[in-house]
Amino acid sequence: MDQVRTGGCLCGAVKFKVRGRLREVVACHCGQCRKQSGLYYAATNAPDEALEVDDSGTLTWFHSSDTARRGFCNRCGSALFWKDDGQGSTSIMAGSLDQPTGLRMACHIYVADRGDFYEIDDGLPQYARSRGV
């Protein structure tokens, strides 16, 4: 039987279920993620067909680049999703999942862009750009 995880935004207007195995959590320190979150994104990922969203009309998508968009609640502002327009999967902000998640952080990406006000010292792999680049 597939594992089902639930999650949602701060105000409860956006709720979601995700079925099956999720990717390990990746922390993204790029400038866009820092601007939207105030620190960095920590996200897992699931195939689009595994994600079911009930948004009460408050889920808004913002095209943050030519190839990707970010989903957030337009009522409370919670950052929830990141979607590469050319992929069949959606990144889900790990903090938006109800606990326990059973997930673990795997690595940090775009550390060349990290904020100058914090250090990354958890011993996990760090990549200047995306993994393997």
Side-chain angles (χ1 to χ4, degrees), residues 5 8 17 32 35 41-42 46 66 69 77 103 106 108 110 130:
R5 291 182 180 89
K17 290 181 186 176
Q32 286 188 2
K35 290 281 186 179
Y41 265 15
D66 291 340
R69 54 195 168 125
L103 299 172
H108 299 268
Y110 292 92
S130 63

Side-chain angles (χ1 to χ4, degrees), residues 35-74:
K35 290 281 186 179
Q36 188 176 31
S37 71
L39 187 55
Y40 59 87
Y41 265 15
T44 184
N45 191 287
D48 289 342
E49 61 272 8
L51 181 62
E52 178 184 326
V53 179
D54 176 10
D55 69 0
S56 304
T58 65
L59 179 62
T60 298
W61 289 93
F62 169 70
H63 267 93
S64 54
S65 72
D66 291 340
T67 61
R69 54 195 168 125
R70 296 165 184 271
F72 65 96
C73 175
N74 66 25

Side-chain angles (χ1 to χ4, degrees), residues 24 26-27 106-111 124-133:
E24 69 278 1
V26 173
C107 65
H108 299 268
I109 60 174
Y110 292 92
V111 297
L124 294 174
Q126 298 182 29
Y127 302 96
R129 297 272 173 247
S130 63
R131 282 198 263 193
V133 176

Side-chain angles (χ1 to χ4, degrees), residues 62-111:
F62 169 70
H63 267 93
S64 54
S65 72
D66 291 340
T67 61
R69 54 195 168 125
R70 296 165 184 271
F72 65 96
C73 175
N74 66 25
R75 183 180 297 157
C76 67
S78 293
L80 300 166
F81 308 112
W82 182 89
K83 175 94 174 119
D84 182 327
D85 292 335
Q87 299 296 315
S89 62
T90 299
S91 290
I92 302 165
M93 299 309 111
S96 69
L97 289 162
D98 297 328
Q99 294 203 36
T101 67
L103 299 172
R104 296 285 177 255
M105 185 92 78
C107 65
H108 299 268
I109 60 174
Y110 292 92
V111 297

